[in-house]
């Protein structure tokens, strides 16, 4: 699943929900919302295995017992009849089951469903009616009792039931949409991961209890009905000629969380992959053209994965469908992948470059799951990280194959790798692999650790093994466990056999303990050789870990030199706290760099001499872009942890004046956004804006406003990023030009190109008045495309006047904003100014009951809390946040609350430690030379 998480530690959440809009990189709070990437779901309670963490508010864990194995399903025959007016549904289940052990009861999962009748028909025997239904609501189970023991053997379990098409974006739910004429209607759609199939039909809702499914839907004859498999029969309903009964082919053996059905009004575009799979992209009515880009990506992606895994896609078709109300970014239901509209639809004229890239990544992510997750499924949610981490890695491999001009692996470092490092440096992080018991705990691990750290360590593993042996091991794993379930160790075994390397030993140090090391490096020249002294210790956001029980990692270390920056000179496996390495034939004038390509999951602290020798490589661009980015990001992180002065980082940033690379600027922009947010708590906020203007003006002048001949995807992203950064920082020429272009756009004289809309909207709002806000809200109302509505929603919070900030917050909860998008509107307010931060937090507190009821256990409640409070930098605010959530419980966001409180205290310490030095440095820069 793709959450919507984001970059400055996050968020994710969710495999990602929000396009990676370059303009938002200037907003450290909304960064968070950028990605998440993909999955959907929930994030955060507190795992006992996380170390050094505050446990004084942790609830006692309820004991959890998985379903008994005395009865298990072989095939579900399921017929559902949704009522799109009254928002209810009727269901009939006829499940072929196997009784392993004689029993007079059957225990299944069931939530928000009323069972009308239930019976069991043993093979060749008489029907036995159930005498009671005992609902264990807290455990989401029902026990069906029978008057006599069901004997060992096969039989059919029959259940008639009714349920509600809820408005919570989980289970079998209703999704609101407008027809081309403006009429409001509802579709019936599903979202089952992790544990919500039980809200659509009684079932054995655990990933290891696989079965086949024969699904039928009774629907209005003017509606489209879709499920995992192709339609094999469509006939009028015998009792109502306005209805159709649609029957689908039998699925392969699969887990319940991957079942899906959709009933609504859609158009589609269709293609066929080179290996013969029918691919359709379903869009809102009248918008079929907006599905063509995703179709192009999907048709290229299926054969890529087919060849990479050397295992064919096992279904005859795959549908990708845009759902109006959808909590996650996307969900990989086998053969019927569901998406937010913004993660699937591309308008050739009105979609920006970042949206195209976002769609390509999300499609790549979800289609990877068709093999890794659907064909082979984790045995239990403990191994979820492998599903999500793997898909979050290989989506980049796929996009790099389809769109090599995206330079997507450099973007991975900024979007996933550094985000994961930031989150994992907190005391309230958790290991990648967490023992999950009760399903409520599942929601806690749909976060940046599962997705982004998971992807980062798999990238490191791939680099350690080499592509050939990695693919060989993957093929062996998929063949061995196809249509079955597997654990993390099963993949390690296959990769170990393929490579001959100690994979399990190396990887367990990365997956079973939280955190990561900082690699401390010093050097000495001896003749023609360079002697490196390398040590590791746990890196913490509050500084290096100095306790006696410091963990160690098995760290793959690569080393390159200035002679050939793109070539690894030496590889070693650091399996001890420290070691000494000799590199032969390195002249004294050559620099030496650790971790070329920024692949190893660790921070680096160089000796001052080594660092000095690397800095010219930033100015003259001899260091690779990904290494220029990594060097700057490491130093920024060290400054926040108090290990170096922030002034040193500002000096380093000035060396990037010649930088041409979009992703390097993107990461710089993000870190400057974090610093700007921090310094909004001081009386010299304007000085950091001047620093930003000085740094970004040369690249802004070079790029200009107009697209030039020969420019590509990354130039468009860079222009949007730079102009947005300059406009927000108050660069007068940029502000004046943005206002002029905005006026022409509104008046219809010259419509803004899609790539310029975010920077222009942001700039005019940041320096705008009530008339500007009213105009923007009018544009929002007129927008026909969800991407444009979201683009506007994410920048509304930039408005400065307190009364207008309040107006934006009120708008966030209005009918004009889709439920899943409210969070980014509030987050935009919190991330834009000191006053906005206070106003957003007050608004969340004042409207907590409505917000919590709307999002309940979902990951969006965690996102909301993080976006609202993460930017504070006063000790007492951490206490206030902690106190509020002690009296307003949000179990699914418990870990997020702890992480936010930790971040607030870290911000406060950073400000106390460095504010005066930063101020003096910024003043000195402005002073005329003597």
């Amino acid at each position: 699943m793709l959450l919507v998480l984001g970059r400055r530690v996050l968020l994710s959440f969710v495999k990602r929900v929000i396009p990676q809009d370059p303009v938002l990189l200037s907003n450290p709070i909304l960064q968070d919302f950028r990605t998440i990437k993909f999955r959907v779901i929930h994030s955060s309670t507190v795992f006992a295995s996380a170390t050094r963490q505050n446990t004084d508010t942790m609830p006692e864990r309820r004991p959890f017992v998985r379903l008994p194995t005395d009865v298990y399903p072989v095939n579900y025959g399921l017929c559902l009849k949704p009522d799109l007016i009254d928002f209810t549904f009727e269901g009939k289940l006829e499940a072929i089951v196997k009784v392993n052990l004689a029993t007079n009861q059957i225990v299944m999962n069931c939530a928000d469903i009323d069972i009308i009748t239930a019976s069991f028909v043993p093979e060749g025997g008489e029907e036995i009616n159930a005498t009671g239904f005992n609902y264990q609501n807290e455990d989401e189970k029902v026990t069906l009792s029978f008057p006599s023991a069901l004997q060992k053997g096969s039989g059919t379990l029959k259940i008639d039931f009714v349920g509600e098409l809820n408005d919570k974006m989980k289970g079998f739910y209703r999704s609101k949409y407008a027809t081309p004429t403006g009429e409001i209607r509802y579709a019936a759609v599903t979202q089952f991961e992790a544990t919500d199939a039980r809200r659509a039909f009684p079932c054995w809702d655990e990933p290891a209890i696989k079965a086949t499914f024969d699904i039928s839907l009774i629907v209005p004859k003017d509606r489209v009905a879709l499920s995992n498999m192709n339609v094999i029969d469509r006939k009028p309903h015998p009792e109502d000629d306005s209805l159709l009964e649609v029957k689908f082919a039998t699925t392969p053996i699969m887990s319940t969380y991957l079942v899906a059905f959709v009933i609504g009004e859609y158009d589609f575009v269709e293609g066929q992959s080179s290996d013969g799979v029918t691919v359709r992209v379903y869009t809102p009515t009248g918008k079929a053209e907006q599905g063509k880009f995703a179709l192009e990506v999907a048709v290229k992606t299926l054969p890529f994965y087919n060849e990479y895994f050397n295992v064919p896609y096992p279904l005859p078709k795959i549908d990708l469908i845009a759902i109006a109300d959808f909590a996650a970014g996307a969900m990989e239901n086998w053969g019927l992948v569901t998406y937010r509209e913004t993660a699937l639809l591309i308008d050739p004229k009105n979609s920006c470059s970042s949206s195209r890239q976002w769609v390509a990544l999300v499609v790549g992510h979800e289609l990877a799951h068709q093999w890794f997750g659907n064909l082979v499924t984790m045995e239990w949610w403990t191994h979820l990280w492998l599903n999500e981490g793997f898909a979050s890695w290989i989506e980049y491999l796929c996009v790099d194959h389809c769109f090599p001009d995206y330079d997507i692996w450099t973007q991975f470092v900024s979007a996933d790798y550094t985000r994961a490092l930031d989150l994992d440096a907190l005391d309230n992080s958790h290991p990648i692999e967490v023992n999950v018991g009760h399903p409520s705990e599942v929601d806690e691990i749909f976060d940046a650790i599962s997705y982004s750290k998971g992807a980062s360590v798999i990238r490191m593993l791939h680099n350690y093994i080499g592509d050939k042996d990695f693919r060989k091991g993957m093929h062996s794993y998929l063949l061995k466990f196809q249509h079955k379930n597997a654990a993390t160790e099963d993949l390690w075994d296959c990769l170990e056999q393929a490579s001959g390397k100690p994979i399990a030993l190396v990887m367990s140090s990365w997956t079973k303990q939280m955190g990561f090391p900082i690699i401390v490096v010093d050097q000495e020249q001896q003749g023609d050789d360079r002697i490196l002294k390398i040590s590791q210790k746990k890196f913490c956001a509050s500084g290096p870990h100095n306790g006696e029980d410091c963990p160690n990692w098995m760290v793959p270390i690569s080393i390159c030199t200035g002679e050939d920056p793109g070539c690894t000179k030496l590889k070693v496996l650091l399996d001890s706290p420290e070691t000494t390495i000799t590199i032969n034939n390195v002249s004294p004038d050559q620099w030496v760099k650790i971790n070329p390509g920024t692949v190893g999951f660790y921070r680096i602290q160089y000796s001052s001499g080594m660092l000095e020798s690397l800095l010219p490589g930033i100015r003259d661009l001899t260091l690779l872009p990904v290494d220029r980015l990594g060097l700057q990001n490491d130093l920024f992180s060290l400054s926040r942890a108090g290990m170096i002065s922030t002034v040193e980082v500002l000096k380093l940033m000035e060396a990037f004046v010649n930088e041409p690379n979009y992703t390097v600027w993107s990461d710089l922009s993000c870190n400057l956004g974090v610093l700007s947010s921090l310094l909004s708590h001081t009386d010299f906020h304007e000085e950091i804006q001047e620093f930003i203007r000085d740094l970004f003006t040369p690249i802004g002048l070079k790029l200009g406003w107009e697209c030039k001949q020969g420019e590509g995807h990354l130039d468009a992203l860079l222009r949007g990023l730079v102009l947005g950064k300059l406009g927000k920082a108050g660069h007068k020429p940029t502000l004046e030009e943005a206002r002029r272009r905005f006026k022409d756009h509104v008046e219809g004289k010259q419509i803004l190109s899609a790539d310029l809309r975010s920077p222009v909207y942001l700039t005019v709002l940041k320096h705008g008045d009530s008339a500007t806000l009213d105009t923007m809200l009018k544009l929002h109302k007129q927008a026909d495309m969800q991407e444009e509505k979201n683009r506007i929603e994410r920048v509304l919070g930039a408005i400065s006047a307190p009364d207008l900030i309040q107006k934006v917050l009120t708008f966030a909860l209005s009918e004009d904003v889709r439920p899943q998008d409210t969070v980014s509107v509030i987050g935009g307010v919190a991330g834009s100014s000191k006053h906005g931060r206070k106003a957003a937090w007050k608004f969340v507190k004042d409207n907590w009951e409505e917000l919590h009821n709307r999002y309940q256990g979902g990951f969006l409640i965690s996102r909301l809390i993080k976006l609202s409070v993460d930017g504070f930098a006063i000790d007492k605010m951490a206490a206030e946040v902690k106190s509020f959530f002690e009296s307003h419980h949000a179990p699914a966001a418990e870990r997020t609350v702890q992480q936010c409180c930790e971040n607030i205290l870290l911000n406060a310490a950073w400000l106390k430690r460095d504010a005066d030095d930063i101020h003096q440095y910024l003043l000195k820069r402005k002073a005329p030379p003597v």
Side-chain angles (χ1 to χ4, degrees):
M1 179 157 69
L2 197 63
L3 287 192
V4 184
L5 309 174
R7 152 127 162 59
R8 258 308 174 226
V9 228
L10 248 75
L11 91 0
S12 192
F13 172 130
V14 172
K15 280 172 204 144
R16 310 166 184 137
V17 169
I18 293 194
Q20 302 177 11
D21 190 327
V23 174
L24 299 186
L25 297 181
S26 60
N27 183 336
I29 300 289
L30 275 180
Q31 271 298 342
D32 202 47
F33 233 84
R34 247 193 338 159
T35 351
I36 215 184
K37 223 155 180 141
F38 307 127
R39 235 54 139 199
V40 204
I41 314 193
H42 316 324
S43 125
S44 245
T45 295
V46 178
F47 300 98
S49 52
T51 60
R52 295 174 64 193
Q53 95 188 353
N54 173 6
T55 58
D56 55 358
T57 61
M58 286 174 60
E60 196 174 324
R61 291 275 182 206
R62 281 210 325 278
F64 170 70
V65 179
R66 283 166 69 167
L67 292 170
T69 56
D70 46 8
V71 180
Y72 71 89
V74 175
N75 170 271
Y76 290 86
L78 178 65
C79 181
L80 291 169
K81 181 184 175 186
D83 185 327
L84 301 176
I85 306 299
D86 293 334
F87 307 134
T88 58
F89 62 89
E90 300 171 14
K92 284 184 179 293
L93 175 67
E94 291 196 6
I96 298 170
V97 302
K98 205 102 176 200
V99 180
N100 284 331
L101 201 62
T103 177
N104 64 353
Q105 60 183 31
I106 296 177
V107 182
M108 307 169 72
N109 291 116
C110 182
D112 303 332
I113 280 175
D114 290 322
I115 293 174
I116 310 300
T117 62
S119 64
F120 181 79
V121 185
E123 196 170 29
E126 295 291 315
E127 186 166 6
I128 306 167
N129 289 314
T131 52
F133 320 135
N134 179 22
Y135 297 91
Q136 295 100 56
N137 291 335
E138 201 173 350
D139 289 328
E140 299 182 341
K141 291 176 183 175
V142 64
T143 301
L144 308 179
S145 299
F146 294 89
S148 57
L150 311 180
Q151 297 305 308
K152 190 174 175 181
S154 295
T156 302
L157 175 65
K158 299 181 178 181
I159 302 177
D160 288 358
F161 58 94
V162 294
E164 179 195 7
L165 289 174
N166 69 73
D167 60 355
K168 306 299 183 191
M169 296 187 284
K170 62 182 182 179
F172 196 16
Y173 71 93
R174 61 186 187 264
S175 172
K176 184 167 76 170
Y177 64 97
T179 66
T181 60
E183 182 187 346
I184 298 299
R185 292 183 184 170
Y186 290 85
V189 303
T190 57
Q191 170 55 50
F192 290 164
E193 191 178 22
T195 55
D196 290 317
R198 63 194 64 176
R199 297 178 197 282
F201 57 100
C203 56
W204 286 262
D205 200 10
E206 295 181 0
I209 307 180
K210 290 188 168 187
T212 58
F213 291 80
D214 285 288
I215 292 171
S216 296
L217 299 173
I218 298 171
V219 302
K221 63 182 180 183
D222 59 350
R223 296 294 191 269
V224 172
L226 301 171
S227 187
N228 304 81
M229 296 298 289
N230 50 299
V231 174
I232 55 171
D233 191 28
R234 188 184 272 108
K235 61 187 180 186
H237 190 263
E239 295 168 19
D240 186 341
D241 61 7
S242 70
L243 299 177
L244 278 180
E245 184 171 347
V246 183
K247 184 173 173 57
F248 300 89
T250 306
T251 69
I253 187 169
M254 61 189 284
S255 302
T256 49
Y257 80 89
L258 295 167
V259 173
F261 17 91
V262 175
I263 300 99
E265 295 175 282
Y266 300 93
D267 286 341
F268 68 85
V269 287
E270 180 179 314
Q272 194 163 62
S273 69
S274 59
D275 37 11
V277 179
T278 299
V279 183
R280 285 183 174 181
V281 176
Y282 283 85
T283 73
T285 306
K287 297 184 178 180
E289 186 184 37
Q290 295 179 20
K292 287 181 178 177
F293 178 74
L295 180 66
E296 174 195 335
V297 175
V299 165
K300 285 182 184 175
T301 296
L302 283 173
F304 172 76
Y305 286 144
N306 196 341
E307 183 185 347
Y308 194 86
F309 297 132
N310 197 17
V311 174
Y313 175 73
L315 274 59
K317 65 93 176 177
I318 187 161
D319 298 325
L320 292 70
I321 185 166
I323 304 296
D325 294 325
F326 197 74
M331 175 63 210
E332 70 269 17
N333 317 296
W334 215 356
L336 177 57
V337 186
T338 45
Y339 296 79
R340 277 197 185 191
E341 288 186 6
T342 50
L344 190 68
L345 304 182
I346 291 295
D347 183 306
K349 290 181 181 174
N350 295 301
S351 288
C352 59
S353 299
S354 60
S355 292
R356 290 173 185 274
Q357 180 176 299
W358 174 243
V359 168
L361 283 167
V362 182
V363 169
H365 182 103
E366 302 309 333
L367 295 194
H369 277 308
Q370 305 302 304
W371 284 263
F372 207 94
N374 300 7
L375 182 64
V376 178
T377 310
M378 69 245 152
E379 193 280 332
W380 186 244
W381 300 107
T382 297
H383 309 285
L384 168 79
W385 83 270
L386 195 56
N387 248 18
E388 292 312 330
F390 182 85
S392 297
W393 168 75
I394 204 169
E395 77 194 39
Y396 283 88
L397 195 71
C398 168
V399 168
D400 191 46
H401 166 77
C402 294
F403 303 98
D405 58 316
Y406 282 13
D407 185 29
I408 204 70
W409 281 116
T410 305
Q411 296 194 56
F412 174 89
V413 173
S414 182
D416 281 87
Y417 171 94
T418 58
R419 178 179 99 200
L421 287 171
D422 286 342
L423 181 56
D424 207 28
L426 298 178
D427 291 343
N428 286 291
S429 181
H430 64 83
I432 283 179
E433 190 168 300
V434 176
N435 285 323
V436 174
H438 195 277
S440 65
E441 299 169 27
V442 178
D443 300 344
E444 306 164 356
I445 53 173
F446 279 95
D447 65 0
I449 298 299
S450 293
Y451 284 82
S452 296
K453 183 180 179 183
S456 297
V457 300
I458 286 170
R459 175 172 170 253
M460 179 171 67
L461 173 64
H462 175 265
N463 182 263
Y464 173 60
I465 294 176
D467 188 63
K468 183 180 175 184
D469 286 345
F470 187 85
R471 290 172 71 159
K472 184 179 168 186
M474 286 300 313
H475 174 67
S476 167
Y477 171 79
L478 289 170
L479 275 189
K480 184 175 180 180
F481 293 99
Q482 62 183 325
H483 303 298
K484 298 175 188 169
N485 296 79
T488 301
E489 290 72 24
D490 296 316
L491 179 60
W492 296 165
D493 288 347
C494 291
L495 291 172
E496 201 158 294
Q497 287 170 25
S499 68
K501 293 185 176 180
I503 305 303
L505 193 62
V506 171
M507 292 305 291
S508 63
S509 74
W510 295 98
T511 63
K512 295 186 183 298
Q513 60 185 2
M514 76 179 215
F516 58 89
I518 180 167
I519 304 297
V520 181
V521 195
D522 200 355
Q523 67 177 5
E524 181 184 333
Q525 187 76 24
Q526 289 185 3
D528 291 335
D529 298 337
R530 192 74 56 89
I531 312 300
L532 299 184
K533 293 177 182 174
I534 296 179
S535 63
Q536 62 162 303
K537 52 188 171 183
K538 186 178 189 300
F539 180 78
C540 301
S542 54
H545 180 98
N546 292 315
E548 290 180 10
D549 58 341
C550 190
N552 276 334
W553 286 263
M554 301 273 281
V555 190
I557 302 271
S558 298
I559 302 165
C560 70
T561 69
E563 184 181 25
D564 187 353
C567 178
T568 297
K569 186 135 184 160
L570 187 67
K571 283 188 175 186
V572 295
L573 185 66
L574 178 63
D575 57 1
S576 58
E578 57 185 45
T579 192
T580 300
I581 298 167
T582 300
I583 311 174
N584 299 318
N585 302 316
V586 180
S587 61
D589 60 338
Q590 279 186 37
W591 51 256
V592 170
K593 187 182 183 303
I594 308 297
N595 203 17
T598 315
V599 174
F601 193 75
Y602 46 83
R603 298 281 188 197
I604 304 170
Q605 184 174 27
Y606 292 102
S607 65
S608 57
M610 290 187 77
L611 184 59
E612 281 295 322
S613 70
L614 286 167
L615 296 185
I618 292 175
R619 284 189 183 275
D620 64 21
L621 309 179
T622 51
L623 274 173
L624 297 177
V626 70
D627 290 324
R628 301 196 296 269
L629 186 161
L631 199 59
Q632 176 266 139
N633 196 280
D634 276 350
L635 289 174
F636 188 80
S637 186
L638 294 182
S639 72
R640 190 183 188 225
M643 296 168 68
I644 63 170
S645 166
T646 306
V647 169
E648 296 306 309
V649 182
L650 290 171
K651 288 177 181 174
L652 172 76
M653 286 177 169
E654 292 185 292
F656 283 86
V657 68
N658 300 318
E659 181 58 55
N661 185 277
Y662 159 69
T663 312
V664 178
W665 276 113
S666 160
D667 202 72
L668 262 173
S669 171
C670 184
N671 288 338
L672 280 168
V674 171
L675 204 52
S676 177
S677 176
L678 184 77
L679 298 179
S680 69
H681 297 274
T682 71
D683 57 3
F684 59 92
H685 190 239
E686 173 52 32
E687 276 82 351
I688 193 67
Q689 303 312 306
E690 184 175 349
F691 180 90
I692 291 168
R693 294 194 296 267
D694 289 348
L695 186 58
F696 279 79
T697 294
I699 185 70
L701 289 171
K702 182 180 174 185
L703 287 165
W705 283 81
E706 300 297 340
C707 179
K708 300 174 185 66
Q709 192 172 359
E711 286 188 346
H713 174 77
L714 293 170
D715 299 294
L717 294 182
L718 181 56
R719 179 173 289 107
L721 172 73
V722 170
L723 292 176
K725 198 73 173 178
L726 285 169
K728 188 178 181 188
H731 182 249
K732 283 186 180 173
T734 302
L735 173 56
E736 288 167 7
E737 182 65 9
R739 283 174 170 162
R740 185 187 72 76
R741 288 176 180 255
F742 182 68
K743 183 172 182 289
D744 286 351
H745 177 73
V746 171
E747 293 173 357
K749 291 178 185 174
Q750 181 68 52
I751 300 302
L752 283 165
S753 72
D755 285 314
L756 287 179
R757 289 183 199 173
S758 278
V760 168
Y761 293 170
L762 176 71
T763 300
V764 298
L765 274 166
K766 181 68 179 175
H767 309 281
D769 55 17
S770 60
T772 317
L773 180 60
D774 289 344
T775 302
M776 201 65 79
L777 292 173
K778 186 178 175 185
L779 287 178
H780 181 277
K781 200 166 192 68
Q782 292 170 347
D784 179 51
M785 194 179 181
Q786 194 59 30
E787 178 187 326
E788 177 74 356
K789 286 184 182 291
N790 285 172
R791 187 162 28 232
I792 293 168
E793 289 161 1
R794 292 198 301 270
V795 297
L796 287 174
I799 202 81
S800 298
D803 59 321
L804 301 181
I805 286 173
Q806 210 52 49
K807 185 174 180 179
V808 171
L809 289 167
T810 303
F811 173 74
L813 275 178
S814 72
E815 284 289 315
D816 292 317
V817 178
R818 285 185 178 170
Q820 70 264 30
D821 297 322
T822 295
V823 175
S824 57
V825 180
I826 297 171
V829 172
S832 289
S833 66
K834 184 179 180 179
H835 182 82
R837 193 156 41 241
K838 290 179 180 175
W841 172 230
K842 183 178 187 301
F843 184 80
V844 168
K845 290 188 293 183
D846 291 346
N847 295 276
W848 178 252
E849 190 174 344
E850 179 179 351
L851 290 164
H852 188 250
N853 181 56
R854 177 184 287 197
Y855 302 123
Q856 291 189 350
F859 80 93
L860 286 172
I861 201 74
S862 294
R863 294 293 69 72
L864 174 69
I865 293 167
K866 181 173 181 55
L867 294 172
S868 302
V869 306
D870 227 22
F872 286 113
I874 305 164
D875 288 352
K876 69 176 184 180
M877 282 307 305
E880 181 181 316
V881 170
K882 181 171 180 283
S883 173
F884 179 81
F885 288 107
E886 282 173 348
S887 57
H888 300 79
H889 294 294
E894 210 169 306
R895 185 193 299 284
T896 297
V897 171
Q898 293 185 346
Q899 289 169 346
C900 288
C901 291
E902 184 178 350
N903 270 324
I904 293 169
L905 294 174
L906 288 166
N907 288 340
W910 190 10
L911 200 59
K912 285 176 198 162
R913 188 175 60 241
D914 278 5
D916 287 347
D917 288 346
I918 294 170
H919 191 196
Q920 290 308 310
Y921 174 72
L922 295 174
L923 289 176
K924 205 160 107 181
R925 281 182 75 253
K926 289 199 304 181
V930 177

